[in-house]
């Protein structure tokens, strides 16, 4: 059965499903490509611009894609597409799973469990590369979900290029597991904190797919 989607609608262009929040970046790029292609036959300058502009527009379409997913059944699913960067026991008994997202990944993040969003906090910070340890002080959005496992914390971290995190749902929203909750533009990281007693079922270096890869073990 297809998974129900309750989060905000997406942008779209030429039938391609795009992430909500893509328009400010994508539309000027596509418009430039379209205009340069139309003028290429009459203008040498336009012809010179057409090829790189079209390639950039195609790249933007790929980056901001937002495919449908069949959500995996399980207690905790990955909130992000990417690669597990680290798995670290935390002082309070929780385990942090950090997922690095390259510019080639889908950058729409999803709810790891069903529950209610109890907090969405924007924290200003720097913009060092997301794979750097110092990225913990980067610009970020801290989420808390009230779930059947208790409070679940998820942090969207901006990278060196990603300078905008776009939350899709506000505090108080009830979400289903795998619902879209936000977007990080360009390379970045998502940290998920598993409660004490929840065992991790992924390993460092493993690829994850948001809403599909299960993070915990029964």
């Amino acid at each position: 059965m297809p998974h129900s989607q309750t989060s905000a609608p997406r942008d779209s262009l030429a039938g391609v499903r795009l992430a909500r929040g893509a328009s400010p970046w994508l539309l000027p790029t596509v418009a430039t490509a379209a205009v340069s292609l139309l003028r290429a036959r009459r203008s040498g300058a336009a012809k010179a611009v057409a090829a790189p502009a079209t390639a950039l527009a195609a790249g933007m379409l790929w980056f901001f894609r937002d495919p449908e997913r069949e959500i995996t059944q399980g207690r905790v699913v990955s909130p992000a597409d990417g690669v597990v960067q680290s798995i670290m026991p935390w002082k309070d008994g929780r385990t942090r799973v950090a997922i690095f997202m390259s510019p080639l990944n889908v950058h729409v993040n999803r709810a790891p469990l069903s529950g209610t969003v109890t907090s969405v906090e924007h924290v200003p910070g720097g913009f060092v590369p997301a794979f750097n340890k110092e990225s913990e002080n980067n610009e970020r959005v801290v989420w808390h979900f009230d779930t059947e496992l208790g409070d679940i914390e998820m942090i969207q971290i901006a990278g060196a290029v990603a300078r905008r995190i776009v939350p899709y749902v506000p505090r108080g929203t009830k979400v289903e597991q795998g619902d879209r909750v936000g977007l990080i533009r360009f390379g970045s990281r998502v940290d998920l904190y598993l409660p004490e007693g929840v065992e991790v079922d992924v390993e460092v270096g493993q690829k994850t797919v948001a809403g599909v890869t299960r993070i915990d073990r029964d």
Side-chain angles (χ1 to χ4, degrees):
M1 295 290 291
H3 182 69
S4 63
Q5 179 58 48
T6 60
S7 52
R10 295 172 294 274
D11 295 334
S12 63
L13 184 68
V16 178
R17 294 182 181 275
L18 301 175
R20 180 188 172 205
S23 295
W25 289 75
L26 185 60
L27 292 183
T29 307
V30 172
T32 300
V35 170
S36 61
L37 285 170
L38 287 173
R39 296 180 177 177
R41 291 185 178 181
R42 300 190 301 268
S43 168
K47 187 175 182 179
V49 171
T54 302
L56 180 58
M60 285 286 191
L61 283 170
W62 175 255
F63 174 80
F64 285 116
R65 68 199 187 279
D66 184 15
E68 296 292 349
R69 298 274 168 81
E70 184 172 344
I71 306 305
T72 295
Q73 298 299 310
R75 288 189 303 177
V76 186
V77 297
S78 177
D81 288 23
V83 175
V84 178
Q85 182 183 31
S86 65
I87 299 171
M88 182 180 297
W90 219 240
K91 296 177 181 179
D92 58 7
R94 297 180 300 167
T95 301
R96 186 187 71 182
V97 179
I99 301 171
F100 175 72
M101 305 162 64
S102 83
L104 298 179
N105 292 124
V106 172
H107 274 59
V108 174
N109 300 138
R110 294 174 178 261
L113 290 87
S114 297
T116 301
V117 178
T118 57
S119 176
V120 185
E121 180 186 6
H122 172 258
V123 182
F127 296 100
V128 302
F131 53 79
N132 192 306
K133 183 178 180 181
E134 295 180 2
S135 65
E136 293 175 10
N137 297 317
N138 275 11
E139 185 99 0
R140 58 200 182 276
V141 171
V142 181
W143 295 76
H144 284 271
F145 302 89
D146 181 20
T147 76
E148 62 179 9
L149 295 181
D151 177 68
I152 296 292
E153 181 177 4
M154 182 183 84
I155 304 178
Q156 295 174 295
I157 302 173
V161 180
R163 305 226 168 184
R164 182 66 192 276
I165 301 171
V166 184
Y168 288 172
V169 296
R171 176 183 175 184
T173 303
K174 292 183 178 181
V175 294
E176 296 296 325
Q177 187 175 52
D179 277 356
R180 299 167 175 87
V181 295
L183 167 74
I184 313 179
R185 294 173 178 163
F186 305 105
S188 42
R189 198 178 97 198
V190 174
D191 290 352
L192 179 65
Y193 290 81
L194 299 178
E196 184 174 8
V198 176
E199 296 186 33
V200 178
D201 197 32
V202 291
E203 57 186 23
V204 174
Q206 180 177 335
K207 292 183 179 180
T208 62
V209 179
V212 175
T213 303
R214 185 169 175 182
I215 297 295
D216 73 314
R217 179 184 297 121
D218 286 329

